[in-house]
Amino acid sequence: MTRDAYKTMWENLNLDITAHDGLLEVLGKFYNDIYLSQAGRLKGMEYLDFVLSEVHGLRIRELQEAKTAGKKIVGTFCVFVPEEITLAAGAVQVGLCSGAEAGTEEAEKLVPRNTCALIKSFIGFKLARICPYTESCDMIVGETTCDGKKKAYENFADHVPMYVMEVPQQKNASDRELWKSEILRYKSALETLTGNKITGQRLKKAIKIVNEKRRALQRLNRLRAAIPAPISGRDVLLVNQVSFYDDPERFTKNINTLCDEMEDRVARHDGIIPAGTSRFMLSGCPMAVPNWKLPFVIEGANAVVVGEESCIGTRNTRDLIEEAPESLEGMINAICDRYLKIDCACFTPNSARMDNIISMAKELKVDGVIHYALMFCQPYASEAIKVEKILKKHDIPLLSIETDYSMDDIEQLKTRVEAFVEMVSSR
Ligand code: BJ8
């Protein structure tokens, strides 16, 4: 990314240029160490390298051009926000970064100290004026998932144009009614914001675009399950992270090209990860860009991540919207049903998640599961106890980790992960 070419754009977005330069420098260094240092990467990953190198450059310029052309930009933090509705309104949806420590001191003036790193991160990025995505948004959509998020949005609303969707906490008939009414309320809010009416035709097209994106990610997940693994877990995590802010149709095309390359290598049993490397599945909280800490530690310990049971992973890609309905009402119902299948730990009970963890672990033939909860995340830390029980029943080893975005515990993490890898490989 040529900094000078974008400086004026960043200034116009009211970024703190010095702090932003610092962020890009650290990000570039991390990216070199974690990604570009990998040997024998797939050629298709060059697209992801390019997108990442232009994450605050070209993509932001595209968003500005879309705004000039009259489009609205909608920022989100959660996979519950239906991108199909956003696209059908002619708006652009982007996931807002919340995977790095920034502006923590300022963020702690808006939320208590014992709030998870993800929440502090999105507030910190805004208050430190280093996120061009947040600054580009015409509307930011939050959701009533965990308590931390829903209370944070109240204070965050003093700083950004906030809209909050109510997500039910159970999955009974009355919850479905509530969720459907929330989808309709979101549809109206977008129609008001954009001035565009969401017709059946527009929604059908949007459903197809988002389904195709999820199909490409499903294909990637099927291919990566091969033994030997044809791609590192870090690279797949990056693909999932980029899926939240890249143009969806361009992204799908490039991921399918990457899959073609993988298919070829799988057919030749030409994995880039040596056969015999211990295989792990990550399960738990989402890892938003640029949170690459744990996969880097795992893969540095002679192991490979072959699946993510997470919202930046299969929780977001497992289910498609049914494409058969032709009426607007039918499509809204299909959207409603698809999103209610999400097995976020904010639901009670949430037994579908336990079933999904077991079936994924078996399908992927993993040697163990690494459960990842962000410090102070009550929903996932609580479910870690259930995950442990169910995995024990199926004789699948588990390492349960609680961490945050700082590097303070990196040595301790390495020691624990190395011991776990050694333990599973001696079984
Ligand atoms: S659907 S997982 S993206 S809410 S880590 S902020 S839960 S205290 S992120 Fe999530 Fe939607 Fe659920 Fe997925 Fe709260 Fe936990 Fe923090 Fe979390």
Side-chain angles (χ1 to χ4, degrees):
M1 190 190 314
T2 44
R3 174 193 177 276
D4 290 345
Y6 298 121
K7 192 165 170 256
T8 312
M9 175 176 77
W10 294 331
E11 278 168 351
N12 290 341
L13 286 168
N14 193 29
L15 296 192
D16 177 335
I17 299 295
T18 310
H20 185 249
D21 282 351
L23 172 76
L24 292 187
E25 198 184 317
V26 174
L27 192 66
K29 191 184 166 326
F30 267 27
Y31 198 76
N32 270 325
D33 294 350
I34 297 176
Y35 280 96
L36 302 181
S37 64
Q38 297 178 92
R41 273 171 99 215
L42 299 168
K43 184 139 181 40
M45 286 307 296
E46 284 173 12
Y47 174 70
L48 283 301
D49 292 340
F50 175 71
V51 173
L52 230 278
S53 72
E54 288 288 341
V55 65
H56 281 196
L58 206 54
R59 185 62 182 138
I60 298 299
R61 178 163 289 166
E62 285 179 348
L63 297 185
Q64 298 314 309
E65 284 166 2
K67 281 166 85 85
T68 308
K71 288 199 166 208
K72 300 293 179 188
I73 313 296
V74 174
T76 64
F77 301 111
C78 176
V79 296
F80 261 99
V81 182
E83 188 176 2
E84 296 81 0
I85 307 270
T86 314
L87 296 184
V92 180
Q93 182 166 313
V94 286
L96 297 177
C97 306
S98 33
E101 259 185 340
T104 308
E105 217 173 285
E106 284 302 298
E108 286 176 357
K109 290 179 189 160
L110 288 199
V111 291
R113 282 197 66 209
N114 59 350
T115 297
C116 85
L118 191 147
I119 296 171
K120 278 189 203 169
S121 172
F122 70 71
I123 297 176
F125 267 75
K126 165 68 196 169
L127 299 183
R129 294 193 287 122
I130 51 175
C131 180
Y133 287 90
T134 306
E135 301 307 327
S136 300
C137 285
D138 299 289
M139 178 161 99
I140 292 186
V141 187
E143 20 40 65
T144 58
T145 45
C146 68
D147 288 352
K149 270 181 167 179
K150 68 187 171 212
K151 296 313 283 181
Y153 296 140
E154 290 176 24
N155 290 335
F156 200 45
D158 292 338
H159 303 268
V160 296
M162 200 72 221
Y163 176 94
V164 178
M165 289 186 89
E166 179 158 7
V167 175
Q169 312 280 281
Q170 294 201 316
K171 295 185 180 177
N172 302 315
S174 55
D175 301 301
R176 188 191 178 281
E177 280 312 300
L178 164 70
W179 179 232
K180 186 175 171 186
S181 68
E182 279 301 289
I183 290 178
L184 291 171
R185 190 170 68 89
Y186 180 54
K187 174 176 164 287
S188 306
L190 279 172
E191 287 175 338
T192 307
L193 179 77
T194 60
N196 295 326
K197 185 110 193 95
I198 298 180
T199 60
Q201 207 184 8
R202 291 180 82 125
L203 191 53
K204 195 163 185 65
K205 189 170 167 223
I207 288 174
K208 182 110 186 97
I209 290 172
V210 184
N211 270 354
E212 285 305 317
K213 175 162 78 165
R214 294 201 175 108
R215 277 195 190 99
L217 290 166
Q218 288 177 350
R219 186 178 168 211
L220 178 76
N221 274 326
R222 277 194 303 273
L223 288 165
R224 76 187 289 201
I227 301 175
I231 190 167
S232 70
R234 264 170 280 182
D235 278 341
V236 179
L237 175 64
L238 182 68
V239 170
N240 278 305
Q241 290 173 334
V242 167
S243 74
F244 287 92
Y245 62 86
D246 196 8
D247 171 79
E249 291 178 282
R250 179 177 58 203
F251 173 83
T252 302
K253 187 168 157 278
N254 279 286
I255 298 315
N256 276 320
T257 306
L258 175 70
C259 288
D260 293 343
E261 189 185 353
M262 284 169 72
E263 215 158 61
D264 182 50
R265 289 186 80 143
V266 170
R268 291 188 280 113
H269 301 286
D270 182 17
I272 63 164
I273 309 294
T277 304
S278 301
R279 296 161 63 87
F280 293 103
M281 178 179 121
L282 277 170
S283 169
C285 288
M287 290 177 178
V289 72
N291 178 7
W292 305 308
K293 180 168 109 172
L294 190 54
F296 179 58
V297 167
I298 297 169
E299 297 196 333
N302 196 24
V304 60
V305 176
V306 291
E308 296 84 16
E309 186 278 320
S310 136
C311 286
I312 316 249
T314 53
R315 201 177 299 129
N316 182 40
T317 57
R318 186 186 298 134
D319 301 302
L320 303 177
I321 310 273
E322 214 213 305
E323 288 182 32
E326 291 296 334
S327 66
L328 183 60
E329 169 78 10
M331 286 180 235
I332 297 284
N333 279 329
I335 290 173
C336 180
D337 292 335
R338 185 266 166 204
Y339 280 86
L340 260 196
K341 285 185 194 154
I342 297 171
D343 54 353
C344 173
C346 297
F347 282 91
T348 182
N350 193 32
S351 49
R353 179 169 172 235
M354 301 304 134
D355 301 341
N356 282 325
I357 290 174
I358 296 301
S359 64
M360 252 185 100
K362 290 190 172 167
E363 268 165 36
L364 296 172
K365 300 190 174 59
V366 298
D367 297 300
V369 172
I370 299 184
H371 192 273
Y372 163 76
L374 276 174
M375 221 118 60
F376 307 122
C377 172
Q378 292 293 338
Y380 283 91
S382 300
E383 287 203 351
I385 299 166
K386 285 195 169 192
V387 173
E388 185 178 1
K389 254 193 213 158
I390 189 114
L391 288 176
K392 202 169 194 176
K393 210 165 125 198
H394 289 263
D395 194 30
I396 301 170
L398 167 79
L399 174 66
S400 193
I401 282 177
E402 263 189 82
T403 185
D404 56 18
Y405 295 163
S406 85
M407 288 295 155
D408 295 351
D409 61 350
I410 197 98
E411 291 307 319
Q412 192 203 356
L413 280 180
K414 278 185 185 164
T415 309
R416 290 187 66 200
V417 169
E418 278 164 16
F420 186 59
V421 174
E422 212 176 290
M423 187 274 283
V424 302
S425 50
S426 65
R427 268 166 60 104

